[in-house]
Amino acid sequence: MSYANAREIFPDEVLKIIQKYVDGECIYIPKKEENKIAWGELTKSKEELKVRNTKIYKDYLEGISVQGLSEKYYLSPKTIQKIISQERKYKNIQSST
């Protein structure tokens, strides 16, 4: 996110209206709904986490303990437990359809 000077963007009449509500403060103007993108769409992060979580669940099913997975993947045991729970739910949904 970058900052821009409102004087360079808005016409004077619009700037004066904004200044009635916010004078000398930084504000965030959200994107229009149609311009929003979901987290991970611009990078491979979302897909990489999905692959990692699938591997964690597979390792768990093969008998590796939560503590062992925690050490292997450098994640807290609580995070490993959440991933296992989410993967279990996802697999159950897939198998029931």
Side-chain angles (χ1 to χ4, degrees):
M1 182 171 67
S2 62
Y3 293 95
N5 188 327
R7 289 185 207 286
E8 298 171 4
I9 298 172
F10 300 116
D12 285 340
E13 58 273 8
V14 173
L15 183 58
K16 286 177 185 176
I17 292 169
I18 293 170
Q19 286 172 324
K20 285 182 185 179
Y21 300 95
V22 182
D23 192 15
E25 300 289 329
C26 292
I27 61 170
Y28 169 74
I29 299 174
K31 288 185 175 189
K32 294 186 280 185
E33 283 297 319
E34 63 267 19
N35 293 335
K36 288 184 178 180
I37 57 172
W39 177 85
E41 283 188 23
L42 297 179
T43 65
K44 293 183 179 182
S45 298
K46 197 172 190 176
E47 184 61 34
E48 289 169 356
L49 288 177
K50 188 175 176 182
V51 169
R52 181 205 65 186
N53 292 352
T54 300
K55 286 180 183 177
I56 289 171
Y57 188 62
K58 182 177 172 276
D59 287 350
Y60 174 76
L61 292 177
E62 290 175 358
I64 299 177
S65 69
V66 170
Q67 186 61 40
L69 293 169
S70 175
E71 293 167 9
K72 180 177 179 178
Y73 290 96
Y74 303 99
L75 297 169
S76 72
K78 187 79 169 169
T79 300
I80 295 293
Q81 290 170 340
K82 286 180 183 178
I83 291 169
I84 291 167
S85 176
Q86 289 168 350
E87 288 293 310
R88 184 180 291 134
K89 285 179 189 175
Y90 178 70
K91 301 298 182 201
N92 286 339
I93 290 170
Q94 277 188 323
S95 65
S96 66
T97 55

